[in-house]
Amino acid sequence: MTDAAPAVRRARPEDIPRVVDLAAEHAAYEHAAPPPPDLAPRLTALLFDAPAPRLRCLVAELPGGEVVGYATCSPEISTWQAGEYLHMDCLFLRADSRGSGLGVLLMEAVAAEARALGLDEIQWQTPAWNEGAARFYDRLGARPKEKLRYSLTLRAGG
């Protein structure tokens, strides 16, 4: 990359190993279980092998080409609104890249994805303890909604 400023762009297949590394950092930061060992081929299939991929991945890149963050999003449906919105599943920047403007660029790129899909709302979540993220999202004009997130793992064949 020859530009003098950091940039955000759509992920390319060659970015997947770096996105996987960042996802592992993200999981550790949020005190979550690490991603599965086969994350790279699974992400590749979701992002690049489907005829009309639902998942989108954007990467934050420093001027020298180093990928230091990512955001993923996909369209979802709200029953209560009887309409679609863009769900941002992840937004993560390495600690040494926070405060550089890349977070804003990632959010702008996610908003552009929503607009391209004809959607006028983005929803996401962050851990309640992540005060830095909450301040960032508040500065963008986003407002939190109080909910608990649950996960139910289904066993195969059961």
Side-chain angles (χ1 to χ4, degrees), residues 60-99:
E61 186 175 56
L62 296 177
E66 181 186 4
V67 173
V68 294
Y70 73 105
T72 55
C73 54
S74 59
E76 297 296 339
I77 295 174
S78 167
T79 301
W80 290 356
Q81 295 175 350
E84 288 185 282
Y85 64 92
L86 192 67
H87 172 73
M88 183 172 67
D89 185 53
C90 292
L91 186 148
F92 180 76
L93 281 171
R94 294 193 56 181
D96 58 359
S97 296
R98 295 179 193 144

Side-chain angles (χ1 to χ4, degrees), residues 20-122:
V20 167
D21 290 343
L22 289 166
E25 270 188 64
H26 190 182
Y29 178 77
E30 290 199 5
H31 314 292
D38 62 343
L39 182 61
R42 290 169 65 177
L43 276 178
T44 298
L46 286 169
L47 291 167
F48 305 111
D49 295 345
R54 284 187 32 170
L55 184 65
R56 285 126 172 89
C57 181
L58 304 156
V59 294
E61 186 175 56
L62 296 177
E66 181 186 4
V67 173
V68 294
Y70 73 105
T72 55
C73 54
S74 59
E76 297 296 339
I77 295 174
S78 167
T79 301
W80 290 356
Q81 295 175 350
E84 288 185 282
Y85 64 92
L86 192 67
H87 172 73
M88 183 172 67
D89 185 53
C90 292
L91 186 148
F92 180 76
L93 281 171
R94 294 193 56 181
D96 58 359
S97 296
R98 295 179 193 144
S100 67
L102 278 170
V104 172
L105 290 177
L106 277 169
M107 285 300 298
E108 288 172 352
V110 170
E113 291 291 327
R115 284 188 209 95
L117 291 166
L119 306 176
D120 60 7
E121 183 179 11
I122 304 165

Side-chain angles (χ1 to χ4, degrees), residues 120-140:
D120 60 7
E121 183 179 11
I122 304 165
Q123 293 184 21
W124 65 93
Q125 59 198 15
T126 194
W129 56 261
N130 193 344
E131 294 174 1
R135 283 191 305 273
F136 171 69
Y137 296 136
D138 287 345
R139 281 194 308 271
L140 294 176

